[in-house]
Amino acid sequence: MIPLGPDLPTARQPRGPGTAVPVAAVLTAMAMVVLDAGMTNLALPMIAADLGITPALAVLVVTAYQTALLVALLPCAALGERLGYRRVFAAGAALFAGASLLAAIAPSAPWLVAARAVQGLGGAAIMALGVPLLRFIVPAGRLGAAIGWNALTVALASSAGPALGAAILSRAEWPWLYVVQAPLALAVLCAARQLPRTSASVQRLDLTSLALCAGVFGTFAVAAQLMLARPWLAVGLAIAGILCLGMIIRRESRKAAPLIPLDLLRTPAFRISVIASVLCFAGQTAALVALPFYLRGPLGQTTAATGFFMTVWPASVALTAVVVGRLADRFSTAWLCAAGGTCLAAGLLGAALWPFVGDLRPLVLLTGLSGIGFGLFQTPNNRNLFLSAPLERSAASGGAQGAARLTGQTAGAVLMTLLFTLGPSGFASRLGLGIGAVFALLAGLVSLARVESRQTARSAITT
């Protein structure tokens, strides 16, 4: 066993081919998935007008993608372990590209929603296997830096998505948002040939477990979206999801490599990282939903000014990711995550309580502090999560990380929907920022439990 950084030991990773092309393939695919989401959100009004549908139906273009992404993450991780990471990753990129072209020629709303759902399936393969592939591409001591590159790519794509979408829509119709994805997808498919080969598992796919897994995440995702409009139906779906969860846990608990990574969740470091990730993403999403309403409402800012303030956050995340990836390979991830959660909580709480009177410069600093805190938390937490899993279970850890992120994002969005329904938008947005700060602080505190679990493990080894 070779110690990798101050936190975790792991086996020596196999060295793949040269790193530049395969790393570029993974990061380009990640950017493609994130850019697609940002550009589509911006185009919803045009899509609704062009296809003659209501705004509520137009939102299905987004929710179909997100739901398919959540439903398929763990199954795609299982497919990666059974068939090989490179094969499933490349298939996901091809599926994403084909679905993008289908979305571009969509003549009706049902066609577009279906194409977006298929895009989500392809995106799930990319997101579940992207970082696990990095474990086979870069040396173990550089994994923190590689995860930092991934965080930087996602942050830059998140901030560039709306701007790129606006630039395209200013000169072309909304279908071109999906046409322009083709060159990126083609580049990924060409570069995917340089990705390392991984051994395939001999364990057969359990189609019943795959269906139950889809049922768990699908029912919970739809229930969250229907919670306010049709509460009784949402409750029924949630109960069905709980039943599916119980059945799949019973079915998978005795397997060496279960579809839902129960084996990994028994490891304290992995379990703590998943819980902390859910909490942090819930706080971040609540804040990112609340902040535009706060800026446009009580603070009376224009659309352009609101866009500027919202850009400070991802820019700060991107700048932090450049540095923190290297720090994560040298210092305790528990303390880095605790510091990140604290900074994020401080920034959000300050934004909620600061008495802004004419001068909004403090808000720039506070949103920047929030972005720094999120960047400081995300990379070390992901590094710890992936290195907590054996190399042969990298895909399962990637699926769990993606599921934790999407679960937190869904929880944050549902929370803000509830707050906006129950009270004025100005009060709800400030309260949402405050609640987001609580979630962020909890994420930091939960991360500190890794210090105790590591000390307990070392004591057990010593004795």
Side-chain angles (χ1 to χ4, degrees), residues 4 13 51 76 158 182 200 240 243 274-275 331 335 345 351 361 388 398 400 407:
L4 299 175
Q13 274 84 346
L51 297 180
C76 284
S158 298
L243 292 176
V274 169
I275 294 171
F331 299 100
W335 289 104
R361 285 178 294 181
S388 299
T407 299

Side-chain angles (χ1 to χ4, degrees), residues 335-426:
W335 289 104
L336 288 173
C337 290
T342 302
C343 289
L344 177 55
L348 296 181
L349 189 62
L353 300 180
W354 192 279
F356 299 105
V357 181
D359 185 7
L360 294 185
R361 285 178 294 181
L363 186 59
V364 176
L365 298 177
L366 291 169
T367 52
L369 179 62
S370 299
I372 289 171
F374 182 74
L376 191 58
F377 173 91
Q378 184 184 29
T379 298
N381 190 70
N382 286 347
R383 178 190 184 277
N384 189 82
L385 186 149
F386 282 104
L387 288 184
S388 299
L391 190 63
E392 64 273 12
R393 292 287 280 155
S394 294
S397 62
Q401 190 268 338
R405 178 183 63 253
L406 289 172
T407 299
Q409 289 173 337
T410 301
V414 169
L415 170 67
M416 289 311 305
T417 301
L418 181 62
L419 292 178
F420 284 132
T421 302
L422 297 178
S425 62

Side-chain angles (χ1 to χ4, degrees), residues 279 282-284 286-287 348-349 352 415-416 419 428-442:
L279 290 169
Q284 183 224 27
L348 296 181
L349 189 62
L415 170 67
M416 289 311 305
L419 292 178
S429 58
R430 296 186 72 172
L431 182 59
L433 290 170
I435 294 176
V438 173
F439 279 124
L441 185 60
L442 287 175

Side-chain angles (χ1 to χ4, degrees), residues 4-292:
L4 299 175
D7 292 312
L8 299 163
T10 188
R12 182 183 296 274
Q13 274 84 346
R15 300 294 297 273
T19 60
V21 173
V23 167
V26 171
L27 298 185
T28 301
M30 290 288 191
M32 180 175 65
V33 174
V34 175
L35 282 171
D36 178 87
M39 293 190 299
T40 298
N41 289 340
L42 190 70
L44 288 182
M46 294 181 63
I47 292 173
D50 187 45
L51 297 180
I53 57 177
T54 65
L57 288 176
V59 172
L60 288 176
V61 175
V62 174
T63 57
Y65 176 82
Q66 293 173 333
T67 301
L69 193 66
L70 181 59
V71 165
L73 275 169
L74 291 178
C76 284
L79 284 172
E81 291 186 347
R82 302 323 189 263
L83 305 177
Y85 295 178
R86 185 175 78 171
R87 180 183 299 178
V88 177
F89 181 87
L95 187 63
F96 189 92
S100 297
L101 294 178
L102 289 176
I105 62 173
S108 65
W111 178 306
L112 180 59
V113 169
R116 290 286 291 162
V118 177
Q119 268 191 308
L121 298 179
I126 292 170
M127 299 191 75
L129 299 174
V131 176
L133 275 167
L134 291 178
R135 288 190 70 179
F136 288 85
I137 297 170
V138 301
R142 294 279 294 162
L143 181 61
I147 294 176
W149 302 336
N150 182 68
L152 172 63
T153 300
V154 170
L156 290 177
S158 298
S159 58
L164 180 60
I168 294 173
L169 293 175
S170 66
R171 296 178 176 272
E173 299 296 325
W174 63 264
W176 282 95
L177 296 177
Y178 303 111
V179 174
V180 298
Q181 309 248 11
L184 286 177
L186 181 60
V188 170
L189 288 172
C190 291
R193 297 172 61 86
Q194 299 298 317
L195 291 172
R197 293 181 180 273
T198 59
S199 57
S201 170
V202 296
Q203 184 173 337
R204 297 179 61 183
L205 283 173
D206 188 332
L207 297 181
T208 302
S209 291
L210 288 176
L212 288 172
C213 182
V216 171
F217 288 103
T219 53
F220 283 144
V222 176
Q225 296 162 20
L226 296 177
M227 182 180 296
L228 296 177
R230 305 181 68 178
W232 288 111
L233 179 57
V235 170
L237 288 171
I239 293 173
I242 292 172
L243 292 176
C244 289
L245 180 61
M247 287 188 287
I248 194 173
I249 288 176
R250 182 176 180 180
R251 188 178 182 88
E252 294 285 305
S253 58
R254 297 180 181 179
K255 294 182 179 180
L259 178 61
I260 293 181
L262 303 172
D263 55 327
L264 301 181
L265 290 170
R266 296 187 186 103
T267 305
F270 186 89
R271 183 172 63 249
I272 290 167
S273 297
V274 169
I275 294 171
S277 183
V278 171
L279 290 169
C280 190
F281 274 102
Q284 183 224 27
T285 302
L288 289 178
V289 172
L291 195 56

